[in-house]
């Protein structure tokens, strides 16, 4: 080889042709590997006469450096080119619209149920649940409605057997909640209730939210405060609230709570039947007879209870005039909330 020119020439030719990192690696092995062309030249160094060794050694070193630097720059050029190709081929068009997956919507009743629950939870109320197939005892008897009590006629009951019913209200969970713990207590009960009734304002299944608060010194003004706070958050802070005397066997005194008509603002319209008021819930102070049924001393404890219809509140809130719309599963209706 001596001057190294032919080795250099063949190396450069091969390198120019190389089109991939693998091919370059093969060239590296061919020239610089343990049995490579340049390496074997280096091995002949010791056989040379002393005066030639120096210049030949220098030549080999220069060749080696040249080969290494040529390979390095070709490698970096190739990997840059690779990167460029990948960037082009893997490019993502971020302006393309995404794929739409319909995920459904919360039912308006569930939405309002959740809103009601959130308001009471922020006031420190817990959330209780109870069975929908309920004992006559909890649905009526423990609520001061003995068998043959005329107040039972107010609720068109679905009987399962002689002593089990589909609960007609969420009030039985008051009893179950009080049996489970000792005062002080405050909780609400969201849930389904059933009455044999159907027209534009009644469906055989509907939803109620019950509320109960018991302690040693709960008064009617606590009831007013809590319900006014609820109504002002649920509707608007300016909504007028009115308590009207009423009757429930399990509360004494009892009241029906009205809000100023949200449609005519009190002037009188079709929805409020000209009265300017809309009834939205029933409430009262827990009847001492009820405390006796759960073993609380009525001389020590007082409390209030209330119950509201979720469908009614939803209909008022969204100006819906037919309750059956909630349960027809018409997606065009349900999508609007
Ligand atoms: N349970 C009664 C109803 O369904 C409402 C109510 C609950 C009234 C609690 C007073 C206290 O009509």
């Amino acid at each position: 080889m001596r001057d190294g020119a032919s080795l250099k020439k063949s190396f450069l030719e091969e390198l120019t042709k190389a089109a991939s990192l693998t091919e370059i690696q093969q060239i590296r092995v061919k020239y610089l590997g343990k049995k490579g062309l340049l390496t074997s030249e280096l091995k002949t160094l010791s056989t040379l006469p002393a005066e030639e060794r120096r210049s030949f050694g220098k030549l080999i070193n220069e060749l080696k450096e040249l080969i290494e630097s040529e390979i390095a720059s070709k490698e970096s050029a190739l990997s840059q080119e690779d990167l460029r190709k990948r960037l082009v081929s893997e490019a993502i068009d971020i302006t393309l619209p995404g794929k739409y997956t319909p995920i459904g919507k919360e039912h308006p009743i569930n939405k309002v149920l959740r809103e009601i629950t959130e308001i009471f939870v922020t006031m420190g109320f817990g959330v209780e649940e109870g069975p929908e197939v309920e004992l006559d005892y909890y649905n009526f008897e423990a609520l001061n409605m003995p068998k043959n009590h005329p107040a039972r006629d107010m609720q068109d009951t679905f009987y399962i057997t002689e002593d089990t019913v589909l609960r007609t209200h969420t009030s039985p969970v008051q009893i179950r909640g009080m049996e489970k713990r000792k005062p002080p207590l405050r909780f609400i009960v969201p849930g389904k209730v059933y009455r044999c009734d159907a027209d534009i304002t009644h469906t055989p299944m509907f939803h109620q939210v019950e509320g109960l608060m018991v302690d040693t010194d709960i008064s009617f003004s606590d009831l007013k405060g809590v319900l006014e706070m609820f109504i002002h958050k649920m509707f608007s802070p300016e909504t007028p609230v009115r308590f009207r005397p009423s009757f429930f066997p399990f509360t004494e005194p009892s009241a029906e709570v009205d809000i100023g008509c949200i449609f005519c603002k009190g002037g009188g319209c079709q929805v409020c039947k000209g009265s300017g008021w809309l009834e939205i819930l029933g409430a009262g102070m827990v009847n001492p007879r009820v405390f006796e049924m759960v073993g609380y001393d009525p001389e020590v404890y007082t409390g209030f209870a209330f119950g509201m219809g979720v469908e009614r509140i939803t209909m008022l809130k969204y100006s819906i005039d037919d309750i059956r719309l909630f349960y027809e599963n018409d997606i065009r209706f349900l999508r609007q909330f």
Side-chain angles (χ1 to χ4, degrees):
M1 146 182 144
R2 289 303 163 262
D3 63 356
S6 61
L7 192 103
K8 180 174 165 182
K9 187 165 167 266
S10 66
F11 163 75
L12 288 176
E13 273 171 15
E14 286 171 37
L15 191 66
T16 315
K17 273 187 246 158
S20 72
L21 292 172
T22 345
E23 283 173 51
I24 294 176
Q25 182 57 18
Q26 282 160 1
I27 295 171
R28 188 202 308 271
V29 171
K30 180 172 172 188
Y31 288 90
L32 302 178
K34 267 191 202 151
K35 290 176 186 156
L37 294 176
L38 200 67
T39 322
S40 43
E41 289 297 336
L42 195 63
K43 282 180 190 152
T44 65
L45 197 65
S46 57
T47 65
L48 292 179
E51 57 291 1
E52 286 179 31
R53 266 187 221 166
R54 221 180 121 85
S55 61
F56 188 66
K58 196 169 164 238
L59 179 71
I60 297 271
N61 270 337
E62 279 167 6
L63 265 176
K64 193 176 171 212
E65 270 165 34
L66 174 99
I67 289 176
E68 277 170 349
S69 78
E70 285 295 317
I71 282 182
S73 66
K74 176 91 184 199
E75 270 178 347
S76 93
L78 263 187
S79 49
Q80 285 228 298
E81 176 62 13
D82 266 11
L83 181 63
R84 198 192 57 82
K85 279 188 193 150
R86 273 185 54 200
L87 286 177
V88 171
S89 72
E90 295 174 12
I92 294 170
D93 182 356
I94 56 166
T95 66
L96 273 180
K99 281 190 188 139
Y100 172 68
T101 319
I103 52 165
K105 280 199 101 171
E106 195 176 27
H107 191 280
I109 295 298
N110 277 334
K111 186 180 153 86
V112 170
L113 210 45
R114 184 172 48 73
E115 283 168 12
I116 296 172
T117 305
E118 277 165 13
I119 294 172
F120 284 105
V121 166
T122 57
M123 287 194 264
F125 283 73
V127 178
E128 282 286 329
E129 287 186 332
E132 288 167 31
V133 176
E134 184 56 286
L135 289 172
D136 180 283
Y137 176 78
Y138 287 108
N139 195 80
F140 293 122
E141 214 143 322
L143 289 163
N144 197 29
M145 280 183 273
K147 288 226 187 312
N148 304 319
H149 189 290
R152 287 194 180 198
D153 289 347
M154 282 161 61
Q155 305 181 350
D156 310 274
T157 312
F158 286 112
Y159 277 87
I160 304 283
T161 65
E162 183 81 3
D163 51 12
T164 40
V165 300
L166 289 183
R167 67 178 180 195
T168 58
H169 50 180
T170 40
S171 303
V173 191
Q174 286 186 33
I175 307 296
R176 290 180 175 273
M178 286 192 282
E179 283 181 349
K180 260 197 276 182
R181 69 196 79 201
K182 292 258 153 298
L185 51 84
R186 57 183 154 173
F187 59 81
I188 57 161
V189 184
K192 293 186 171 70
V193 300
Y194 303 84
R195 290 183 202 179
C196 186
D197 202 356
D199 56 39
I200 64 162
T201 52
H202 298 87
T203 44
M205 184 283 299
F206 61 104
H207 296 76
Q208 283 190 337
V209 176
E210 192 82 9
L212 178 70
M213 181 162 183
V214 180
D215 203 345
T216 48
D217 50 8
I218 301 291
S219 69
F220 203 92
S221 59
D222 294 311
L223 172 63
K224 284 189 85 172
V226 166
L227 288 181
E228 273 174 13
M229 174 93 124
F230 162 71
I231 288 164
H232 290 159
K233 284 196 180 173
M234 193 67 203
F235 294 95
S236 86
E238 294 84 38
T239 313
V241 182
R242 176 173 86 167
F243 284 68
R244 232 175 341 102
S246 185
F247 173 79
F248 298 101
F250 35 92
T251 46
E252 181 59 35
S254 302
E256 237 135 7
V257 180
D258 299 339
I259 59 172
C261 181
I262 47 183
F263 301 102
C264 63
K265 305 276 175 246
C269 67
Q270 259 192 324
V271 185
C272 63
K273 299 189 182 90
S275 74
W277 295 94
L278 297 166
E279 181 198 322
I280 64 153
L281 53 84
M285 301 307 292
V286 179
N287 191 315
R289 305 278 299 265
V290 172
F291 281 147
E292 279 165 11
M293 297 297 279
V294 295
Y296 289 3
D297 184 349
E299 294 300 322
V300 177
Y301 295 112
T302 52
F304 64 71
F306 58 84
M308 66 186 92
V310 181
E311 277 75 359
R312 173 147 176 88
I313 290 180
T314 311
M315 288 170 78
L316 292 176
K317 218 180 144 144
Y318 294 108
S319 310
I320 295 161
D321 55 10
D322 187 340
I323 194 174
R324 292 169 293 199
L325 285 167
F326 291 129
Y327 301 112
E328 279 170 355
N329 281 337
D330 185 338
I331 205 95
R332 292 166 304 179
F333 170 74
L334 296 174
R335 268 210 194 108
Q336 296 175 47
F337 300 91

